[in-house]
Structures are given as C-alpha cells and as structure tokens.
Amino acid sequence: MRNQDTFYRMLDTLRTGAEAAGTLALGTLGLACEGAEKLAEAARLRFQAARVEGEMDEKLMEAGEMVYATHTGNPTESEELVQKLREIDGLKTRLAELNETLGRTPEGPVCPDCGKAVGAGDHFCRFCGGKLD
C-alpha cells in the first residue's frame, strides 16, 4: 500500500506541475497575442500615415502647378485653388492625428491653444485661429 500511496503522490505532483505549466503557457500566449495585436495596429496606422503623406504630396504638387500656371499667364480660378488648399489642410490635420496616435511628435512649432502643427512663419493658427506671436 505504501508504494501505491507514493505513486499517487507523484502523480498528483506531476498533475499540479502540468496544470501550472499549462496556465503559464496560456498566459504567455495571451501576452504574445496582445503584443501582436498592438504591432498590427501600429503597422496599420503607419500605413495610413504613409498614404495620407502621399496624397498630401500629390495635392501640394497640384496646388503648385495651379500657382505656376497663374505665373505663366494661365490663371487658375481662385476658388479652385482655395479648395485644393483646404484639402491639403484636411490631410495635414489627419496626418497630425495619426502621428499623435503613433506617438510621433510634431517636427515644427505647434499652436499653444489647440496643439496643431503650424508653419514657422504663421501668425495665426489655421485650425483654431489662435494668435501665435
């Protein structure tokens, strides 16, 4: 009987160890999945930011072509140019939001009122109208 009791205690010890190892493995797997989800979300946000940057570059080139056409004697309707500039402002806002979510800091000055990026020579914020000087 004694050998049998020892055998059952050993089996209980093995079962307890196996349960603990399983619990540890599940916890590790959960952390790994959580980390993978965070990495996937960050990659998705970086991809969106790159797309917005590309679209913004395209719109800036279009606006530049409109300005140059005016310079060469083929004026662009001012409302068409203003609309293009508004599109660029919207893209800049979206890019700033994505960068903030990603933890990227603005590269230039920001408005003290709303925190949006502003141009180095701006006197008023394009987003909230706050005075910058």
Side-chain angles (χ1 to χ4, degrees):
M1 193 73 156
R2 197 166 228 202
N3 286 339
Q4 194 175 17
D5 289 339
T6 303
F7 178 71
Y8 285 126
R9 277 195 307 264
M10 285 174 46
L11 285 177
D12 281 341
T13 302
L14 285 172
R15 181 184 51 79
T16 303
E19 287 175 354
T23 301
L24 181 62
L26 284 174
T28 303
L29 179 61
L31 288 174
C33 288
E34 186 179 308
E37 288 173 358
K38 287 180 181 179
L39 287 173
E41 177 64 13
R44 185 184 67 76
L45 290 171
R46 284 192 302 274
F47 176 74
Q48 282 182 355
R51 270 193 15 219
V52 169
E53 285 174 341
E55 189 176 347
M56 192 169 59
D57 287 345
E58 184 180 306
K59 300 287 183 191
L60 285 166
M61 286 191 334
E62 291 171 3
E65 289 172 4
M66 290 176 172
V67 170
Y68 188 74
T70 300
H71 169 74
T72 60
N74 296 320
T76 302
E77 291 290 323
S78 63
E79 188 54 39
E80 185 180 346
L81 180 58
V82 168
Q83 179 59 34
K84 187 68 62 182
L85 295 174
R86 285 186 184 133
E87 291 173 13
I88 293 167
D89 287 342
L91 290 168
K92 281 187 167 238
T93 299
R94 178 68 182 136
L95 183 59
E97 290 167 355
L98 287 167
N99 284 333
E100 182 177 330
T101 302
L102 285 165
R104 297 175 180 168
T105 56
E107 296 173 4
V110 296
C111 173
D113 294 330
C114 70
K116 302 282 186 181
V118 295
D122 290 351
H123 297 287
F124 295 93
C125 178
R126 294 178 185 215
F127 301 98
C128 72
K131 188 162 173 53
L132 301 174
D133 295 328

